[in-house]
Amino acid sequence: MGALLAAMDRQGFKSRQSLQGAWFFSRNGTMITVGHEPETTGEWIDLISTLRGAGLVFPDED
């Protein structure tokens, strides 16, 4: 999760985690909410795909 959060920060996304473990990601008026940190491969793929749809480039491309 650290590498993903670092890439998001570099690309202008804001992120925060609630006390209950939910994650909130936003950029340019788009908010993405995830109920818990991804655990399975499928959950990670879904999260990264959703964030890419919001403009995230991950992994970072130089």
Side-chain angles (χ1 to χ4, degrees):
M1 183 64 114
L4 181 61
L5 292 172
M8 293 176 67
D9 185 56
R10 284 190 300 274
Q11 295 176 43
F13 281 82
K14 303 295 181 203
S15 60
R16 65 181 181 89
Q17 186 177 28
S18 73
L19 295 175
Q20 293 78 24
W23 281 94
F24 303 91
F25 308 107
S26 63
R27 183 172 86 164
N28 298 331
T30 300
M31 173 71 77
I32 298 165
T33 304
V34 180
H36 59 86
E37 187 168 328
E39 297 174 1
T40 67
T41 301
E43 289 176 342
W44 278 106
I45 291 170
D46 289 344
L47 174 58
I48 292 170
S49 177
T50 300
L51 291 168
R52 282 180 173 163
L56 179 69
V57 177
F58 187 81
D60 287 330
E61 297 172 0
D62 295 329

